[in-house]
Amino acid sequence: MRVLIVDDEPAIRKTTGLAVEAMGHEVVAAPNGLRALKELEAGACEACFLDRKLGAEDGLDVLGKLLKAQPSLAVVMVTAFANISTAVEAMRRGAFDFIPKPFTPEQIRQVLDKVARNHRLERRVEQLESQLTEESP
């Protein structure tokens, strides 16, 4: 998978990127929403780790922009300021999942496995729908 990491902290981008690459995925990174959108324009991604606080930007606002640019993107919100209301709001706005900082490589692996399973299921549904359309009189 091609995975976008959006975080204003260079160390977080680097360590998360190293963990994702060690799992065999391609990584692109951005320090803010604008750069993240440019990365999506350069090539589609299957998953995105998006920080809740990006300096002056609100990650929840960036979430909407990313999903508008690529509706199929599985956005995982990450934050050091985790609470139930923030998680609920992120999911309400279209986030695929939500994990608190600090997170472990195992948490990254689990969420990426979940994204991959979800993409496989979506492709299978599309195949079955296509077969039904072809078989219908």
Side-chain angles (χ1 to χ4, degrees), residues 3-21 27-31 49-54 76-81 99-105 108:
V3 180
L4 174 61
I5 299 167
V6 187
D7 199 302
D8 59 332
E9 296 180 45
I12 299 290
R13 286 195 310 273
K14 183 176 181 174
T15 56
T16 304
L18 289 171
V20 170
E21 285 176 342
V27 171
V28 290
F49 289 93
L50 174 63
D51 192 14
R52 170 70 169 78
K53 294 191 184 278
L54 296 167
V76 180
M77 293 294 299
V78 296
T79 184
F81 307 97
I99 56 176
K101 284 181 179 178
F103 46 85
T104 65
I108 293 171

Side-chain angles (χ1 to χ4, degrees), residues 19-64:
V20 170
E21 285 176 342
M23 294 169 201
H25 303 292
E26 177 186 351
V27 171
V28 290
N32 57 48
L34 183 60
R35 286 288 304 279
L37 288 169
K38 288 184 190 241
E39 291 294 345
L40 286 181
E41 287 173 13
C45 293
E46 286 75 30
C48 172
F49 289 93
L50 174 63
D51 192 14
R52 170 70 169 78
K53 294 191 184 278
L54 296 167
E57 282 182 293
D58 184 337
L60 290 173
D61 293 335
V62 174
L63 169 65

Side-chain angles (χ1 to χ4, degrees), residues 78-92:
V78 296
T79 184
F81 307 97
N83 60 47
I84 298 296
S85 64
T86 303
V88 168
E89 182 62 16
M91 302 301 274
R92 189 185 70 72

Side-chain angles (χ1 to χ4, degrees), residues 56-121:
E57 282 182 293
D58 184 337
L60 290 173
D61 293 335
V62 174
L63 169 65
K65 294 173 186 175
L66 295 175
L67 291 175
K68 185 175 180 184
Q70 187 186 323
S72 65
L73 183 64
V75 179
V76 180
M77 293 294 299
V78 296
T79 184
F81 307 97
N83 60 47
I84 298 296
S85 64
T86 303
V88 168
E89 182 62 16
M91 302 301 274
R92 189 185 70 72
R93 292 193 189 193
F96 179 81
D97 208 339
F98 184 94
I99 56 176
K101 284 181 179 178
F103 46 85
T104 65
E106 183 56 29
Q107 287 173 295
I108 293 171
R109 180 186 318 283
Q110 287 175 3
V111 77
L112 289 178
D113 285 349
K114 187 171 149 183
V115 169
R117 279 192 309 275
N118 193 61
H119 282 302
R120 281 193 302 273
L121 288 171

